[in-house]
Amino acid sequence: MDQPIGVIDSGVGGLTVASELMRQLPKEELIYLGDTLRCPYGPRPKEEIIQYTWEMVEFLLRKNIKILVVACNTATAFTLDQLRQELPIPVIGVIQPGARSAIKMSQNMRIGVIGTEGTIQSKAYPKALQNINSSIRVNDLACPRFVPMVESGVLSGPEAYKVVYESLKPLKDKNHIDTLILGCTHYPLLRDTIQEVMGEHVQIISSGEETAREVSTIMGYQKKLYNGDRVPHHQFYTTGRVEVFRSIANIWLDQPIDILENAKLTIN
C-alpha cells in the first residue's frame, strides 16, 4: 500500500522511534511531525496535551497516512484510547511495547521507569506492566530536566552527566531494580549517560525497537505493507527551530533528511 506511515512527537524524541521504523521497514515512507515549538508536553495540563496531539494528528491525516505512531509517551498516556476509537486507521503507542520489552529483559521483576511529569503522574507504565504481571514491583521517577536539555542539543558531556546524575539519584539509591524503562522517547538520546549513571548491571529499555516491530506486524496482517521496490523519500516537519532539529536528526538518523518547516498547526 503506497501511503506513508505517520509519526508524531512533542519534539525530537520520536526520532528514536523513526530510526527503528526506517531500519525495520526500509521500503516504507515516513512523515514525521515534531511539535518542538510547544515542547515539552510533560508539564502541561491533560486537556492541553489532548488538544495539541489532535492538532498534530489532523495535520498528518491530510497527508493520507495509513497508520499513526504516537511516539510521545505523554501523548500516548492521555490520548491513545481516544485516537483508536475515533480514527479509521491503526494507531500505535509506545507504552505497551516498552512494557513488554522490559518484562522480557528483567530477571527479578523489579523495574524502574523514568519519564515526564505527565507520563509518571498518569501511572500508564505501572498499569501496563502490572496488567501483564501483577507481581512486578515498579519504581517510577519524573525527570523534567531531560527533555529541555535534549531539545537544546545537549546530549553528552559534563553538563549532561550532571543533570542525569542529579535526576536519577533517587532511583539509583533503590539499587534493587535490574531494568530501567526510558519512558520518554527523548531519553534514548541520553542513553549512554543514563547507563553510566545507573551502572552496567541495569538493563536500559527504550520502546523504539518493540514499537517498530508492532507496526510491522500490524501492517503485515492488514496488508498495508509497500511491496514495490524504491528508495523511500521521508518527510520531517517541525513547528519550531529547524537548525536544532536538523542537527539532532542528522546525528540520530545517520543520514541527511528533508525537513519541511512551517508545519501549520493551530498555535495558541
Side-chain angles (χ1 to χ4, degrees), residues 14-80:
L15 294 170
T16 59
V17 177
S19 175
E20 274 299 321
L21 288 167
M22 292 162 68
R23 185 180 70 84
Q24 294 187 33
L25 297 165
K27 293 182 180 180
E28 298 291 340
E29 292 187 336
L30 303 186
I31 300 182
Y32 180 100
L33 172 58
D35 190 10
T36 50
L37 185 64
R38 302 184 292 195
C39 184
Y41 279 17
R44 294 185 179 276
K46 176 180 178 180
E47 295 74 19
E48 212 165 54
I49 294 165
I50 293 171
Q51 175 192 336
Y52 292 174
T53 301
W54 271 105
E55 288 172 3
M56 288 195 290
V57 170
E58 288 164 1
F59 179 89
L60 287 188
L61 289 177
R62 294 195 292 271
K63 306 293 183 183
N64 196 31
I65 59 173
K66 60 184 172 183
I67 188 168
L68 174 67
V69 181
V70 184
C72 172
N73 284 265
T74 305
T76 296
F78 291 120
T79 69
L80 185 65

Side-chain angles (χ1 to χ4, degrees), residues 60-198:
L60 287 188
L61 289 177
R62 294 195 292 271
K63 306 293 183 183
N64 196 31
I65 59 173
K66 60 184 172 183
I67 188 168
L68 174 67
V69 181
V70 184
C72 172
N73 284 265
T74 305
T76 296
F78 291 120
T79 69
L80 185 65
D81 290 343
Q82 184 185 53
L83 292 171
R84 283 178 168 169
Q85 289 172 6
E86 298 191 24
L87 294 183
I89 58 174
V91 182
I92 308 299
V94 288
I95 290 175
Q96 287 288 345
R100 285 195 298 268
S101 182
I103 289 173
K104 287 179 189 175
M105 297 299 295
S106 180
Q107 297 297 309
N108 65 7
M109 294 297 109
R110 296 183 176 185
I111 296 173
V113 180
I114 55 176
T116 67
E117 299 101 311
T119 299
I120 298 304
Q121 289 169 7
S122 76
K123 294 297 178 184
Y125 272 102
K127 290 173 187 173
L129 290 161
Q130 290 168 348
N131 280 343
I132 298 171
N133 183 342
S134 59
S135 67
I136 289 174
R137 292 176 61 181
V138 183
N139 292 109
D140 53 5
L141 176 70
C143 298
R145 298 168 68 187
F146 285 9
V147 172
M149 184 167 69
V150 169
E151 289 286 330
S152 70
V154 177
L155 306 179
S156 60
E159 181 183 350
Y161 184 89
K162 181 176 185 291
V163 169
V164 171
Y165 180 84
E166 291 173 352
S167 298
L168 295 185
K169 191 176 187 306
L171 198 61
K172 185 175 170 61
D173 290 345
K174 297 181 173 68
N175 57 15
H176 54 269
I177 68 169
D178 73 346
T179 306
L180 178 64
I181 298 175
L182 306 183
C184 172
T185 47
H186 284 73
Y187 294 2
L189 295 162
L190 299 168
R191 185 188 184 114
D192 291 347
T193 304
I194 292 170
Q195 186 77 73
E196 184 180 358
V197 168
M198 293 302 297

Side-chain angles (χ1 to χ4, degrees), residues 163-268:
V163 169
V164 171
Y165 180 84
E166 291 173 352
S167 298
L168 295 185
K169 191 176 187 306
L171 198 61
K172 185 175 170 61
D173 290 345
K174 297 181 173 68
N175 57 15
H176 54 269
I177 68 169
D178 73 346
T179 306
L180 178 64
I181 298 175
L182 306 183
C184 172
T185 47
H186 284 73
Y187 294 2
L189 295 162
L190 299 168
R191 185 188 184 114
D192 291 347
T193 304
I194 292 170
Q195 186 77 73
E196 184 180 358
V197 168
M198 293 302 297
E200 293 300 321
H201 65 285
V202 176
Q203 297 280 349
I204 304 294
I205 303 295
S206 80
S207 56
E209 183 176 348
E210 203 73 23
T211 301
R213 188 174 294 117
E214 186 164 325
V215 171
S216 178
T217 299
I218 289 174
M219 292 205 311
Y221 177 76
Q222 297 192 3
K223 303 188 186 310
K224 292 180 178 289
L225 292 170
Y226 177 76
N227 294 317
D229 188 18
R230 67 176 175 195
V231 176
H233 175 67
H234 307 298
Q235 298 177 43
F236 292 82
Y237 292 84
T238 176
T239 59
R241 293 174 55 201
V242 172
E243 299 79 13
V244 173
F245 188 97
R246 179 180 283 112
S247 65
I248 295 173
N250 287 343
I251 292 170
W252 189 254
L253 301 178
D254 197 29
Q255 60 180 279
I257 64 171
D258 180 17
I259 301 178
L260 306 171
E261 51 188 300
N262 300 322
K264 300 299 183 183
L265 306 184
T266 302
I267 306 296
N268 293 327

